[in-house]
Amino acid sequence: NLVDNAATVGAYLGEKLVESLGEHPHIGDIRGRGLFWGLEIVANRESTAPFPASKQVAWRVWQRAFDLGLVVYYSQGCADGRNGDLVMLGPPLIINREQVDELVEILVSAVQAELGRP
């Protein structure tokens, strides 16, 4: 039942991400499907202006999450080929709601540690 689990738990993951980080001033967008989700990190939410590449924001969030026990994917250059930060999630297809709660809790901690609280 991996496909059904990805659909059901993936929807729950999306809800938890939006609930926890949807209003953060440096999260420009949260989008995904199933268990594959991405968070766009921006310097200014209103204008969606990216952070300069030199700040390595996505890498810093990745490092903080890793230090806290969560492996995420990060990408830079998604805004214009150089600037723009993205953190992506792709947990195992067997993940359950309790594990999603833990994943989101760690990710929120990493984002807040690097970008501040809303």
Side-chain angles (χ1 to χ4, degrees):
N1 298 322
L2 294 178
V3 174
D4 289 338
N5 191 63
T8 304
V9 178
Y12 178 72
L13 173 57
E15 291 168 11
K16 294 296 286 186
L17 290 170
V18 170
E19 175 186 306
S20 301
L21 292 168
E23 297 300 317
H24 194 283
H26 294 294
I27 301 297
D29 195 13
I30 299 171
R31 58 188 175 271
R33 185 171 191 185
L35 286 170
F36 191 66
W37 286 84
L39 288 79
E40 179 186 21
I41 302 171
V42 295
N44 183 302
R45 184 183 172 115
E46 295 302 316
S47 69
T48 67
F51 282 102
S54 61
K55 291 199 177 270
Q56 299 182 323
V57 175
W59 180 86
R60 290 186 0 240
V61 171
W62 169 84
Q63 184 66 61
R64 182 72 66 147
F66 187 80
D67 291 345
L68 294 170
L70 176 65
V71 177
V72 298
Y73 305 96
Y74 73 94
S75 178
Q76 195 169 351
C78 56
D80 61 11
R82 179 166 162 68
N83 301 302
D85 296 281
L86 184 65
V87 172
M88 298 167 284
L89 304 168
L93 298 176
I94 60 170
I95 194 170
N96 61 41
R97 286 177 178 249
E98 293 79 22
Q99 292 164 329
V100 165
D101 291 340
E102 182 180 4
L103 178 156
V104 171
E105 182 180 320
I106 294 170
L107 182 60
V108 168
S109 294
V111 167
Q112 289 178 347
E114 293 302 323
L115 301 170
R117 297 185 179 274

